[in-house]
Amino acid sequence: MARARNIKPSFFMNDELVELCFAARLLFIGLWTLADCEGYLEDRPKRIKMSLFPADQLDVDALLGDLATAGFIQRYTVAGVRYIHVVNFSKHQNPHHKEALSVIPKPVSQDEDVGLSVVDDARTGAIMPMSKDKDSAMDMGHMDLKGRLDMTEDNLSHAPVLSRANLGHASVLPQTDPADSLIPDSLNLIPDPYNLILDSLIPDSHDASPDSALHACSHRKRAAPYHSKLSVLRRISPTLLSLGLASVLLTSAHAEPLKFVAWSDPTPSALQPFDGNPDAVADMAGQSLFFYPQARKTVTLPYTRGPKSYANVQYYTGAIVVSASTDQVAKALSDFSGYQKLFPKMTESTVQAQEGDVNDPNGSVKSLVKYHLLIKIPFPFLTFDEDVLIQHERKNNSISTLILKSPIQYGTGRFEWFPLKNGKTLVTLTQWGDLDHPVGFLVSTVLSAMPEIKQAIPSGIEGFVLESLRQRFNPDTQQAPLPLSNIVPTMTLTSSQEATLYKLIQQGGTVQFSHRPVWLATAARPEKLYFVSSFYHMPASLDQMKEAFATPKNFPEIYRQVRKVTSTPQPDGSTQNDVKIALGLGILSIPMHLNLIYKAESELATRLYSTGGDIEFVQGRITLKPTSNKTTLVNITAGGKLGEHPPFLLKLGKSLPYYDYLSTAGTAPVIFEKARVWVSKK
């Protein structure tokens, strides 16, 4: 039932709310009328649409996501039911004294395994304090950020830390400044994996105890429940790497320690789309790392509270051809205690229990292994410091994996290795993890705030694992530096390979090839670059794809954090594009810019490269191939790296493994999805 609510004239002049589209702003007002006397309502997009926009064709779920990303509302789940909280509703609205009490459960910090799935796990992590409250979007006067932290390198390294343990059980994650909240869209084909965010604890000015949420609504302005504002973490390759490290070793639920779980691995074989032929996979991979989607399926996994079933699950496979025998590969992958030397940022790998004869190469061996993953970031609340407990089962030429404790709770994976006719070995990893039910402060926050990043995680996982194997078995040897004009690899597929590519793409998702590194000739020294070729079949015409991928002036409409693009035509027919990007860090926005040249090489190909800006080396090519009047095959081949003197926050990324390579591989699927959404609305 809708209720009468207040709206102030200053709502229409708020410079941060206007960053959202007209429909999102109108939806925000409408939510006030649907919310109960404390600002809570059920998160049911279809019902909300019928209540507020019965005659309009709008994607209300996506608009709610925009409001949540911008920090105006909080979306959360309790006991499997989704709810919405209008942030600071109680501070700025005066419900009628006869309104019924709120019966909607409030966000709490408890484990999903006892029936509650929440946006914040306050048991871990720490946040940076902030001295001044930011007024709510409900007031719509002005929302300045006076009192922002001084973000100098020295001050950051000595900043005080406030433990989440002191916040109380009713606290939820801090809200970020809506103007600085950026979803993980990216124009940048080598997006920064190191944009970090400072969480700010910003309590309501009407401070009250947690129990104040239970007070009856009255005509007086009530004290709001003490809660922090939801923090939107942006572009998280540090966390993407953390998720990759944990999910390499893939996921499951809470089993009792040191007890093996009886299960049947549902992970499909890497050879399934290739009719069981490993040489066909190797032919596609060549010297590259090769990533492709599997057909969707239903999966049932065993857990202590009973089987858990998933419909429409899509596994992803990564493949590499290594110059080693199958025995050498089997020995390396079966030596779990040696994983800390194989995978960067793994500080412990201890076998805690084992069943079977480890000396029998054809026998079944079960192992329980504890891993410790540590990715240190100068900001303690962003450091990934986790124990992971995994059950492995080796059979013949495979190792099945079930994680018993991990930030990503549920899922499976499988290593496989196959002899090839040329004497080399094909190594594959096929995996899937339930990214909708994570645990832990950092991972839960990131995936809640930025659901689009889930599309980047599969290739991030595959890339991390296979790049580690490539460096073990196929180490780099520096090649002769190439000039700028020849630096971007060209994917040349045979008719048979192209048919296979289309078959894989039709299963849904992105197909990618990560090339061996090349060296760019520069005035100072050769620069090592990793290139990734990504393919996606777009349900859009060739002209629409040119607008989405080869016309930079449209990027602010497609990618939220691209604030402005100034395009200047050049005499050679190219355009020089000054791209302004706002990197949202919660309590402040750090501006960045890229200088990019876009030049048409033909009607179907566009070359791009950087000529300056905060990221020095950006190289790429966009190739379009119409497959019908309404469909186009899009290929983005891109690579790049930071220079020697990047901005301070970007420089932090250099401490992460494979930071140049994984950011490129992980972002292409997000770019494709945002472009698909954009053209679908035109």
Side-chain angles (χ1 to χ4, degrees):
M1 178 183 70
R3 294 97 166 172
R5 300 298 186 212
N6 300 323
I7 182 169
K8 299 180 181 180
S10 53
F11 172 95
F12 303 99
M13 296 179 290
N14 182 269
D15 60 345
E16 291 161 337
L17 187 66
V18 297
E19 295 292 332
L20 299 176
C21 68
F22 180 83
R25 284 176 272 165
L26 186 58
L27 172 62
F28 187 37
I29 298 173
L31 293 179
W32 308 349
T33 70
L34 299 180
D36 63 22
C37 67
E38 293 181 14
Y40 293 90
L41 67 154
E42 291 188 4
D43 190 347
R44 302 179 65 172
K46 290 183 180 179
R47 175 178 289 185
I48 292 172
K49 179 186 182 302
M50 291 307 298
S51 298
L52 302 178
F53 305 105
D56 299 292
Q57 296 299 317
L58 294 176
D59 187 346
V60 170
D61 189 39
L63 296 175
L64 289 171
D66 290 343
L67 288 170
T69 299
F72 293 114
I73 66 172
Q74 174 195 351
R75 305 179 85 177
Y76 65 98
T77 303
V78 176
V81 180
R82 297 186 60 84
Y83 300 100
I84 293 171
H85 178 222
V86 180
V87 175
N88 271 351
F89 178 93
S90 299
K91 181 177 178 181
H92 298 289
Q93 290 293 328
N94 295 284
H96 194 275
H97 66 281
K98 292 186 179 181
E99 276 194 36
L101 300 182
S102 175
V103 296
I104 290 179
K106 307 308 183 283
V108 292
S109 297
Q110 299 186 33
D111 190 8
E112 191 263 350
D113 208 32
V114 297
L116 299 174
S117 177
V118 297
V119 295
D120 178 25
D121 182 348
R123 295 170 298 179
T124 60
I127 62 174
M128 303 293 293
M130 178 174 167
S131 60
K132 179 166 180 159
D133 185 21
K134 180 192 74 175
D135 201 7
S136 166
M138 189 70 68
D139 183 39
M140 294 305 148
H142 65 280
M143 301 172 68
D144 70 348
L145 287 179
K146 295 178 181 178
R148 290 177 174 178
L149 296 178
D150 181 1
M151 295 295 289
T152 63
E153 182 169 355
D154 182 67
N155 285 349
L156 283 173
S157 63
H158 296 89
V161 175
L162 178 61
S163 171
R164 284 193 168 272
N166 298 327
L167 300 186
H169 73 277
S171 67
V172 295
L173 293 177
Q175 290 285 1
T176 188
D177 183 348
D180 296 337
S181 303
L182 302 177
I183 59 178
D185 314 332
S186 180
L187 146 76
N188 184 2
L189 297 182
I190 54 157
D192 38 275
Y194 6 77
N195 291 329
L196 308 177
I197 185 164
L198 289 178
D199 284 351
S200 55
L201 177 60
I202 316 176
D204 291 323
S205 58
H206 297 288
D207 195 357
S209 69
D211 292 337
S212 64
L214 303 178
H215 293 172
C217 298
S218 68
H219 65 284
R220 296 181 296 107
K221 186 173 299 244
R222 300 170 315 287
Y226 182 81
H227 65 275
S228 309
K229 300 179 179 180
L230 175 63
S231 173
V232 179
L233 300 179
R234 140 174 195 352
R235 297 296 310 282
I236 44 84
S237 273
T239 301
L240 175 60
L241 288 176
S242 303
L243 289 171
L245 284 165
S247 301
V248 164
L249 316 162
L250 304 156
T251 51
S252 175
H254 303 291
E256 295 182 10
L258 304 182
K259 290 187 178 180
F260 290 100
V261 175
W263 71 302
S264 178
D265 187 4
T267 308
S269 171
L271 305 185
Q272 188 165 301
F274 294 86
D275 300 322
N277 184 359
D279 287 285
V281 182
D283 179 62
M284 288 293 291
Q287 294 187 334
S288 302
L289 310 183
F290 174 38
F291 312 122
Y292 55 93
Q294 295 273 353
R296 296 181 181 274
K297 61 182 297 185
T298 298
V299 170
T300 300
L301 301 178
Y303 294 106
T304 55
R305 300 183 62 188
K308 191 173 182 66
S309 295
Y310 295 87
N312 208 32
V313 165
Q314 185 164 49
Y315 284 81
Y316 265 79
T317 295
I320 181 176
V321 176
V322 299
S323 300
S325 67
T326 54
D327 289 342
Q328 290 174 308
V329 171
K331 182 178 180 180
L333 294 180
S334 301
D335 180 17
F336 305 122
S337 60
Y339 274 22
Q340 68 185 85
K341 296 180 180 179
L342 180 60
F343 299 110
K345 304 303 179 182
M346 183 174 289
T347 60
E348 179 186 351
S349 51
T350 305
V351 177
Q352 298 194 333
Q354 212 156 46
E355 288 183 359
D357 184 359
V358 295
N359 296 316
D360 181 0
N362 298 317
S364 175
V365 180
K366 294 181 180 179
S367 303
L368 283 174
V369 187
K370 176 187 175 184
Y371 299 97
H372 186 78
L373 307 171
L374 178 61
I375 300 180
K376 287 186 177 181
I377 301 295
F379 315 125
F381 54 90
L382 286 178
T383 291
F384 187 88
D385 188 0
E386 294 283 349
D387 287 327
V388 178
L389 184 64
I390 302 173
Q391 178 173 317
H392 298 295
E393 184 169 0
R394 190 194 73 190
K395 290 182 178 179
N396 297 323
N397 69 322
S398 69
I399 298 174
S400 294
T401 298
L402 185 71
I403 292 187
L404 306 180
K405 180 183 178 183
S406 169
I408 306 299
Q409 300 183 90
Y410 312 118
T412 71
R414 184 191 297 172
F415 277 120
E416 296 174 283
W417 51 93
F418 308 93
L420 299 173
K421 294 177 181 179
N422 60 9
K424 297 182 180 181
T425 300
L426 174 71
V427 184
T428 65
L429 170 63
T430 303
Q431 55 80 31
W432 164 82
D434 176 7
L435 301 177
D436 294 327
H437 300 90
V439 295
F441 165 65
L442 186 60
V443 176
S444 298
T445 302
V446 168
L447 294 183
S448 227
M450 300 186 302
E452 290 92 339
I453 205 67
K454 297 174 185 178
Q455 298 173 65
I457 289 175
S459 55
I461 294 169
E462 311 290 356
F464 173 80
V465 176
L466 296 187
E467 180 63 18
S468 298
L469 294 177
R470 188 185 69 80
Q471 295 199 13
R472 170 71 174 270
F473 294 109
N474 302 339
D476 295 334
T477 55
Q478 183 169 338
Q479 305 297 317
L482 298 174
L484 178 67
S485 58
N486 298 333
I487 195 67
V488 181
T490 300
M491 285 291 298
T492 302
L493 301 176
T494 66
S495 58
S496 175
Q497 289 172 328
E498 190 168 292
T500 299
L501 176 68
Y502 280 110
K503 176 183 176 182
L504 294 172
I505 290 177
Q506 293 306 315
Q507 296 184 152
T510 303
V511 174
Q512 295 180 287
F513 300 85
S514 174
H515 306 280
R516 291 186 65 87
V518 295
W519 279 260
L520 172 66
T522 68
R525 64 185 178 282
E527 292 288 348
K528 183 179 180 180
L529 299 179
Y530 289 90
F531 283 89
V532 178
S533 292
S534 304
F535 293 84
Y536 190 84
H537 203 204
M538 282 283 185
S541 68
L542 175 63
D543 289 340
Q544 288 176 311
M545 290 296 90
K546 288 181 178 179
E547 289 291 310
F549 290 103
T551 311
K553 68 179 182 180
N554 293 327
F555 291 163
E557 296 181 25
I558 305 172
Y559 311 110
R560 178 75 57 86
Q561 69 271 39
V562 179
R563 297 302 176 88
K564 183 179 180 181
V565 176
T566 302
S567 296
T568 305
Q570 301 298 304
D572 64 355
S574 65
T575 60
Q576 182 172 344
N577 302 277
D578 185 68
V579 184
K580 303 294 186 182
I581 302 173
L583 303 181
L585 299 180
I587 60 173
L588 86 169
S589 180
I590 294 182
M592 278 189 59
H593 81 279
L594 296 172
N595 292 327
L596 295 173
I597 296 292
Y598 272 67
K599 183 176 182 178
E601 295 181 323
S602 67
E603 182 184 1
L604 301 178
T606 301
R607 181 77 162 82
L608 64 95
Y609 56 92
S610 63
T611 57
D614 292 324
I615 299 180
E616 297 178 40
F617 301 102
V618 179
Q619 301 291 329
R621 177 180 290 110
I622 301 164
T623 305
L624 308 174
K625 182 176 181 179
T627 54
S628 73
N629 291 334
K630 297 182 178 180
T631 57
T632 306
L633 179 67
V634 182
N635 167 216
I636 297 177
T637 298
K641 65 183 298 183
L642 290 174
E644 287 300 305
H645 305 288
F648 167 63
L649 289 174
L650 299 187
K651 183 170 62 177
L652 298 177
K654 288 198 169 185
S655 64
L656 302 171
Y658 316 140
Y659 65 93
D660 286 331
Y661 155 61
L662 287 180
S663 57
T664 305
T667 302
V670 178
I671 291 176
F672 287 143
E673 176 60 17
K674 298 311 296 181
R676 184 195 65 79
V677 171
W678 184 71
V679 297
S680 71
K681 295 178 179 179
K682 293 183 70 66

